[in-house]
Amino acid sequence: MAVSEQERDYMRRLGEHEAEVHAKRLAEHLALDLEERLQRSFMLAWRFRKAVRQHAREDDPGAIYERARALGLYRP
């Protein structure tokens, strides 16, 4: 299927727009203080807590904590 120059130009502009929006959101995020970032992170996690598959975790950090406990680097 042939792609017209008009279609290429549209996709190029769309990509540029998405990059600008991403850069703006990143700058806004980085401008927040740590407490605000943590609060927003918590609220996002709380909002989607029911959608998370608790029993299907592939990124379980349990082994990291066990190793840290064994080395005396972490105490709950």
Side-chain angles (χ1 to χ4, degrees), residues 11-48:
M11 294 305 290
R12 191 172 16 257
R13 288 192 325 254
L14 181 60
E16 289 170 357
H17 174 70
E18 287 183 358
E20 289 173 9
V21 168
H22 178 74
K24 179 182 175 190
R25 287 187 178 167
L26 179 60
E28 290 171 353
H29 172 74
L30 294 175
L32 298 173
D33 63 20
L34 182 59
E35 185 175 333
E36 180 68 20
R37 287 191 211 179
L38 288 172
Q39 184 178 17
R40 288 180 180 207
S41 177
F42 176 77
M43 293 307 294
L44 186 63
W46 182 258
R47 180 177 172 195
F48 292 104

